[in-house]
Amino acid sequence: MADTGGRPSVYPTLLYADARAAIAQLTRALGFTELAVYESEDGTVLHAELSQGNGAVMLGSKGRGGVFAEAMGSGGPAGVYVVVADVDAHHRRAVEHGVEILAPPADREYGARDYLARDAEGNVWSFGTYAPALSS
C-alpha cells in the first residue's frame, strides 16, 4: 500500500464535453473547491482537480486526445459518492442552483442519509453521510 501522506488514495476521474461548465456547477452548486485547472493554449481543460472534504475528483475535457481520453471513449456516465456533513443543507444548495435531483434526501436502512443528483452531462452524484471505515 502506498503512503499518500494523508491524501486520498482514490480519485474518481471524469471527462466532460464542457469541462468549464462542469467545474462551475460542481463548485457553485455542489460545494466543491477548485484546487487546480490546467488548460491548453486554446483554453481546453486538460486536467482539473476539485476537492470536497478530504476527497477529490479529477476531470478534463472530452475529445482532447491522449491515452486516457481514448480509453474513456464515450464512456459514462459515472457514479460518484461524496460524504457531506449536512445532507439537507447540501441538497438545498443544489436545488437553488438548478441541479437535477434524482432522489431527495432520505434516511437509509444502513444508517446513512443521502440524496442523488445528476450533473449537466449525466454523471450521477450521491451526497450523504455514509463513510465506510477503511482498514489499513
Side-chain angles (χ1 to χ4, degrees), residues 3-134:
D3 178 11
T4 62
R7 294 182 180 134
S9 61
V10 177
Y11 295 86
T13 306
L14 307 168
L15 293 179
Y16 290 90
D18 188 343
R20 275 269 160 232
I23 292 167
Q25 183 182 47
L26 291 169
T27 56
R28 293 181 192 143
L30 296 174
F32 282 79
T33 299
E34 183 179 304
L35 298 177
V37 177
Y38 303 97
E39 300 177 334
S40 65
E41 289 182 13
D42 68 0
T44 300
V45 176
L46 299 173
H47 176 81
E49 299 166 5
L50 308 177
S51 68
Q52 172 73 262
N54 66 350
V57 62
M58 298 180 193
L59 64 94
S61 297
K62 284 185 180 179
R64 62 179 165 75
V67 176
F68 183 74
E70 290 174 20
M72 290 289 286
S74 60
V80 181
Y81 190 96
V82 180
V83 178
V84 296
D86 186 337
V87 172
D88 296 288
H90 195 276
H91 174 261
R92 281 191 299 277
R93 176 180 178 166
V95 169
E96 288 169 5
H97 282 85
V99 173
E100 179 185 357
I101 304 300
L102 301 175
D107 295 321
R108 305 296 174 196
E109 62 277 358
Y110 46 88
R113 183 167 180 77
D114 58 34
Y115 78 96
L116 293 175
R118 186 185 325 269
D119 71 20
E121 294 197 18
N123 298 297
V124 176
W125 294 81
S126 301
F127 296 93
T129 59
Y130 181 69
L134 303 178

